[in-house]
């Protein structure tokens, strides 16, 4: 599968206000059209559809008849899983051009009194029976548990977690579409309202409207298209729990497995990565990624980030668009990881461009640190 498929088109929609005008299928169709135009393709070329709740419904709306379909839903990591499945399907000859899309407008829906865009099709939620009665606040409660355990076991501090938010905001300052661009300090993070100890408001992701899409095809076909192909060099997925109370170790995510497998397929190590797009639902989420993907040893994530290493000018550029903490977060952020990774490898990021980027990693986190999916992307030079 290594290098057999490439992402050839991307698009995302976000705004400094956090709100978008379009919603529902119209918003999905708009970003799909933009991603296809980016690739130099049309709907007539598409024979594979990925959607996190209903690939059949989306295909019907678009008027296409795909021969590959995928409605995998793993929360925020769904779109890395879609990229993995699409690459495998293309490599196996099951289809030729695959689209995946995500759109959600929780911020404007709430203001306008609109119902959610789609129902929750994930089935019964055992958290409601076994965890909610004990007062676990969602969604930040499970992440606060992980942060508390990491602090107790390794001595991680709130100041170290806050530095992740500061570095991410520094990237957002370079992105004109980011929800928040004003610089913040560690003290600002610590002074923001406590949400679920030890997580302050600025340790937590945004609630915004947003949408994104990617288009994938074979590496051979990609070379005849208008944009430089971004090859899928490796991919891996692993989940080990649904409820946070069943997580085997609150300080270690299944990203240890997904990352190891994706890196092995790609033939790279952490030192080869130029850009890391690591899902940052909360600052602790990003810190755990750094450890579990091997950028530092377990327990050393706090010390790793405290000098601004993941911000502009740092040795490991992470979440260069401003991340879920400062750019946008409409509920499932994994699509935006892929879009930014592709743009960085194509050299299209303007003031926030990482020089000479050839390998980028999109690492999605789904549900409550439950399902991790890692995609290694590279330029043709890196292949």
């Amino acid at each position: 599968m290594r290098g057999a498929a490439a992402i050839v088109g991307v698009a995302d929609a976000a705004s400094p206000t956090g709100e978008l005008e379009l919603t529902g299928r119209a918003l999905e169709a708009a970003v799909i059209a933009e991603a296809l135009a980016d690739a130099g393709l049309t709907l007539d070329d598409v024979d594979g559809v990925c959607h996190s709740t209903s690939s059949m419904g989306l295909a019907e709306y678009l008027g296409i008849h795909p021969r590959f379909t995928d409605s995998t839903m793993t929360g925020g990591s769904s779109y890395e899983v879609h990229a993995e499945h699409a690459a495998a399907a293309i490599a196996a000859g099951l289809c030729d051009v695959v689209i995946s899309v995500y759109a959600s407008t929780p911020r404007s829906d709430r203001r306008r009194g609109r119902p959610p865009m789609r129902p929750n099709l994930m089935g019964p939620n055992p958290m409601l029976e076994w965890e909610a009665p004990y007062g676990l606040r969602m969604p930040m409660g499970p992440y606060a548990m992980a942060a508390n355990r990491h602090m107790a076991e390794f001595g991680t501090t709130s100041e170290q977690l806050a530095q992740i938010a500061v570095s991410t905001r520094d990237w957002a300052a370079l992105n004109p579409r980011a929800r928040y661009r004003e610089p913040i300090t560690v003290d600002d993070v610590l002074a923001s309202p406590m949400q679920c100890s030890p997580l302050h408001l600025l340790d937590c992701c945004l609630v915004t409207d947003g949408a994104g899409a990617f288009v994938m095809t074979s590496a051979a076909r990609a070379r005849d298209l208008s944009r430089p192909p971004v090859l899928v060099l490796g991919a891996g997925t692993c989940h080990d729990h649904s409820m946070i109370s069943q997580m085997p170790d609150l300080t270690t995510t299944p990203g240890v497995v997904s990352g190891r497998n994706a890196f092995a397929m790609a033939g790279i190590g952490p030192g080869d990565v130029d850009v890391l797009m690591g899902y940052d639902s909360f600052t602790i989420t990003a810190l755990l990624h750094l450890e579990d993907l091997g950028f530092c040893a377990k327990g050393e994530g706090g010390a790793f980030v405290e000098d601004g290493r993941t911000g502009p000018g740092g040795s490991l550029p992470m979440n260069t668009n401003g991340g879920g903490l400062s750019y946008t977060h409409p509920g499932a952020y994994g699509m935006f990881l892929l879009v930014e990774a592709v743009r960085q490898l194509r050299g299209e990021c303007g003031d926030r461009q990482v020089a000479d980027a050839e390998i980028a990693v999109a690492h999605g986190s789904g549900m409550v640190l439950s399902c991790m999916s890692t995609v290694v992307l590279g330029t043709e030079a890196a292949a």
Side-chain angles (χ1 to χ4, degrees):
M1 188 171 114
R2 183 188 190 277
I7 296 178
V8 293
V10 293
D12 65 343
S15 78
T17 67
E19 296 191 8
L20 299 172
E21 287 300 316
L22 293 176
T23 188
R25 293 290 191 216
L27 179 55
E28 290 178 338
V31 290
I32 289 170
E34 186 178 342
L36 285 168
D38 185 54
L41 297 169
T42 71
L43 274 177
D44 291 338
D45 296 300
V46 176
D47 60 356
V49 172
C50 298
H51 191 276
S52 61
T53 56
S54 179
S55 55
M56 292 174 63
L58 176 64
E60 179 181 69
Y61 182 86
L62 297 174
I64 59 178
H65 309 103
R67 57 196 181 106
F68 171 75
T69 188
D70 189 339
S71 292
T72 298
M73 171 55 162
T74 60
S77 58
S78 299
Y79 309 96
E80 283 66 44
V81 176
H82 291 173
E84 179 182 16
H85 291 181
I90 289 168
L94 300 180
C95 55
D96 188 40
V97 175
V98 180
I99 57 171
S100 175
V101 66
Y102 172 70
S104 182
T105 52
R107 187 177 181 88
S108 58
D109 287 349
R110 182 172 58 191
R111 181 176 65 79
R112 298 169 183 171
R114 291 191 303 230
M117 182 183 118
R118 294 189 296 262
N120 181 358
L121 301 180
M122 297 177 62
N125 188 344
M127 298 178 194
L128 297 178
E129 180 178 3
W130 298 105
E131 295 180 346
Y134 295 92
L136 185 67
R137 185 181 177 191
M138 292 297 290
M140 60 282 294
Y143 298 88
M145 290 176 63
N148 276 309
R149 184 60 193 164
H150 205 278
M151 289 176 167
E153 191 163 339
F154 302 114
T156 307
T157 67
S158 291
E159 289 79 4
Q160 290 170 334
L161 290 178
Q163 181 58 54
I164 293 174
V166 171
S167 295
T168 308
R169 181 64 65 86
D170 289 343
W171 283 116
L174 304 175
N175 184 354
R177 293 193 300 147
R179 176 71 177 98
Y180 292 117
R181 302 181 66 194
E182 301 80 7
I184 56 175
T185 67
V186 168
D187 287 343
D188 290 332
V189 179
L190 300 183
S192 64
M194 185 68 74
Q195 298 301 297
C196 193
S197 182
L199 300 177
H200 300 80
L201 180 64
L202 293 178
D203 285 299
C204 304
C205 65
L206 308 173
V207 178
T208 67
D209 300 350
F214 70 76
V215 181
M216 188 182 295
T217 190
S218 67
R221 183 169 184 178
R223 294 185 182 98
D224 294 329
L225 300 178
S226 57
R227 299 284 191 177
V230 173
L231 300 172
V232 179
L233 301 181
T237 297
C238 182
H239 51 85
D240 63 10
H241 64 283
S242 176
M243 298 186 293
I244 194 67
S245 60
Q246 303 307 303
M247 187 173 181
D249 179 350
L250 285 170
T251 69
T252 303
T253 76
V256 170
V257 177
S258 68
R260 180 177 65 231
N261 292 349
F263 283 22
M265 183 186 296
I268 67 159
D272 299 310
V273 177
D274 299 308
V275 178
L276 172 62
M277 295 301 299
Y279 200 117
D280 56 340
S281 48
F282 300 88
T283 50
I284 183 61
T285 317
L287 184 143
L288 293 175
H289 298 333
L290 292 168
E291 295 178 348
D292 294 342
L293 293 176
F295 292 100
C296 60
K298 178 56 62 179
E300 295 180 3
F304 184 86
V305 301
E306 62 186 1
D307 64 352
R309 186 185 306 233
T310 61
S315 59
L316 180 61
M318 182 171 72
N319 296 331
T320 53
N321 57 0
L325 293 172
S326 288
Y327 171 45
T328 193
H329 197 292
Y333 185 70
M335 177 63 75
F336 303 90
L337 306 174
L338 291 161
V339 171
E340 177 73 2
V342 168
R343 287 177 173 157
Q344 283 286 348
L345 295 180
R346 297 197 314 200
E348 298 172 348
C349 291
D351 291 341
R352 67 183 190 274
Q353 179 64 47
V354 175
D356 303 319
E358 293 189 349
I359 293 178
V361 170
H363 184 66
S365 175
M367 305 309 293
V368 287
L369 300 173
S370 308
C371 179
M372 302 293 165
S373 187
T374 313
V375 179
V376 180
L377 301 171
T379 64
E380 286 198 287

